Amino acid sequence: MAQNAQREAGYRWIGISVVAVALLGWLLALYLWSASAETEAELERQIALNGEATELDARIVALRSEVTQTETTREESSSELDNLQQRLIEAQKAVASSEDQAQTMQEERDALEAEIAEMTSQQNTLQDDIAQAQAQVAETSQEFADVGERLEQARRQEVDVQGSVSDLTSDVARLTEEASGAESRVQAAREAEAALEQRVAAARQDLEEIETARNTVEQSTETLVQRRDQLASQTAEAEGQMQHLQEQIVQLTQDLADRSERLVELQTSIADMQEEAAQPARAAASGLILGERYEAGPVLATFSDQGTFEMANASSGEEVSGDYSLEEEMLTLSDATGDLGNANFPMRCNIVADAAGFTLESEDGSCELLSGTSFSRVSP
């Protein structure tokens, strides 16, 4: 919004400058026409009052020469006004083109910011997925540890059962030997053997259940290991994608910074072009034509379009140079070097346009040295 206001203000000043230049041209033409009419009236009055034909003829020739010079000055001013208007039109076209480029770069910048926002959202989503995967990996590791502990417990139980089976087998052998030696204990031994066989059968059944449980645990362990490897692979892939997105975000951020820098340079260039376009118009409105030489008695002054001035006194040989700025009807001379004498700088002078050039007047006391001085443009 600030840029639009700045551009509107720039266009407003350009429009005001064009109107001021046009008004200056009409005032100059009106002044020349009025001066021509007054000159002819003065000529007729002198002929009626005096009757001295020779003197009047000489004055007529002089006045006609002044009228011719005035018309020549008017034509030159009109030509210069046309040149200024043409330069103003070209500057307006250049400003419009630069503003189009600035608008395009602003749109590209908005698109880049939207893309960066989208990639940042994707990065946040990936980070959430990675956090969930890491939580699942931790949970799977805990389950794997629990399964391992259960497997170790089953193995210990298997060892205990196998020891019991071995003990029972030894008891059966021992009892069989005793049965062969003591017939009276056969029945008891058979009963004990039957009981031991039942215990052996039960122990074998427990052993089979433990084997089944161990197989189940091993299958569960293998499944959990595969799941853990899969989650680790997905986590690595997500981290790779996040790294790639971070690299893209860094690149896009650098591109955005570069384009922002180019946009600032373009805006500065537009402001310089607007200032350059407005400077000749302000100079023309004040009666000061850049690059031309002006004289006030023995003093010869030149104001360049680069913002510098030179003044030289042909009688005393003194020379002064420095910088100047022209804002509306105020001419400021600063950073002066040379034969300054008792002059103080910066020097602020009101500039008033007239038919031959311009006149300087004191504004705040700093221009007392040049106040009332009229500078006339030196003919090429």
Side-chain angles (χ1 to χ4, degrees), residues 233-271:
S233 177
Q234 292 177 354
T235 302
E237 183 179 357
E239 289 177 351
Q241 291 180 357
M242 185 177 67
Q243 180 66 26
H244 181 64
L245 286 175
Q246 287 177 345
E247 292 176 356
Q248 289 184 345
I249 290 173
V250 171
Q251 183 63 38
L252 289 174
T253 303
Q254 182 63 37
D255 293 342
L256 180 61
D258 294 340
R259 297 196 177 201
S260 298
E261 184 177 355
R262 289 178 56 195
L263 182 60
V264 171
E265 293 176 354
L266 186 58
Q267 290 173 347
T268 304
S269 177
I270 290 174

Side-chain angles (χ1 to χ4, degrees), residues 3-283:
Q3 293 177 355
N4 292 334
Q6 185 178 4
R7 287 198 295 269
E8 291 178 0
Y11 293 150
R12 189 181 301 114
W13 281 110
I14 291 175
I16 292 174
S17 300
V18 173
V19 171
V21 172
L23 181 61
L24 179 61
W26 282 105
L27 291 176
L28 182 60
L30 181 63
Y31 173 80
L32 295 176
W33 178 79
S34 176
S36 177
E38 291 178 359
T39 302
E40 292 178 357
E42 177 67 17
L43 179 61
E44 292 177 356
R45 189 172 67 82
Q46 290 296 331
I47 292 174
L49 292 175
N50 299 318
E52 299 176 357
T54 303
E55 183 179 355
L56 288 176
D57 288 340
R59 295 190 62 185
I60 287 171
V61 170
L63 289 174
R64 285 178 177 175
S65 176
E66 291 180 1
V67 168
T68 301
Q69 184 177 0
T70 301
E71 290 178 349
T72 301
T73 303
R74 181 182 62 184
E75 292 176 355
E76 292 177 354
S77 299
S78 298
S79 176
E80 292 174 355
L81 180 61
D82 293 338
N83 292 333
L84 288 174
Q85 290 176 344
Q86 182 64 30
R87 290 179 61 186
L88 184 59
I89 291 172
E90 292 177 355
Q92 289 174 344
K93 290 180 179 179
V95 169
S97 176
S98 298
E99 289 177 350
D100 291 340
Q101 293 180 2
Q103 181 64 28
T104 300
M105 294 184 67
Q106 185 65 35
E107 292 175 356
E108 293 179 355
R109 177 180 179 180
D110 294 339
L112 286 173
E113 289 178 348
E115 187 175 354
I116 288 175
E118 181 180 358
M119 287 189 174
T120 302
S121 177
Q122 293 179 1
Q123 182 183 8
N124 294 332
T125 302
L126 285 174
Q127 287 177 346
D128 293 338
D129 293 340
I130 290 173
Q132 294 177 0
Q134 290 175 347
Q136 291 179 357
V137 168
E139 182 180 356
T140 302
S141 299
Q142 182 62 36
E143 292 178 357
F144 184 75
D146 294 339
V147 169
E149 184 177 355
R150 290 173 58 192
L151 179 60
E152 185 64 26
Q153 184 178 1
R155 287 175 179 173
R156 288 196 299 269
Q157 290 178 357
E158 181 182 4
V159 171
D160 293 339
V161 170
Q162 287 178 351
S164 298
V165 171
S166 179
D167 293 339
L168 289 173
T169 303
S170 298
D171 291 340
V172 169
R174 183 175 55 79
L175 289 173
T176 301
E177 288 180 357
E178 290 179 357
S180 63
E183 195 63 42
S184 60
R185 299 171 59 188
V186 170
Q187 186 64 33
R190 287 177 180 176
E191 292 177 358
E193 182 181 5
L196 289 173
E197 288 178 354
Q198 290 178 357
R199 291 177 62 187
V200 169
R204 287 176 178 174
Q205 185 177 0
D206 292 340
L207 182 59
E208 290 177 356
E209 291 178 356
I210 291 173
E211 288 289 340
T212 302
R214 184 180 65 180
N215 293 332
T216 302
V217 169
E218 290 178 351
Q219 291 177 357
S220 299
T221 302
E222 184 178 357
T223 302
L224 291 174
V225 170
Q226 292 177 354
R227 185 179 178 187
R228 184 189 63 181
D229 295 340
Q230 184 179 5
L231 288 175
S233 177
Q234 292 177 354
T235 302
E237 183 179 357
E239 289 177 351
Q241 291 180 357
M242 185 177 67
Q243 180 66 26
H244 181 64
L245 286 175
Q246 287 177 345
E247 292 176 356
Q248 289 184 345
I249 290 173
V250 171
Q251 183 63 38
L252 289 174
T253 303
Q254 182 63 37
D255 293 342
L256 180 61
D258 294 340
R259 297 196 177 201
S260 298
E261 184 177 355
R262 289 178 56 195
L263 182 60
V264 171
E265 293 176 354
L266 186 58
Q267 290 173 347
T268 304
S269 177
I270 290 174
D272 294 341
M273 293 176 64
Q274 290 175 343
E275 178 64 22
E276 183 179 354
Q279 183 72 8
R282 290 199 299 266

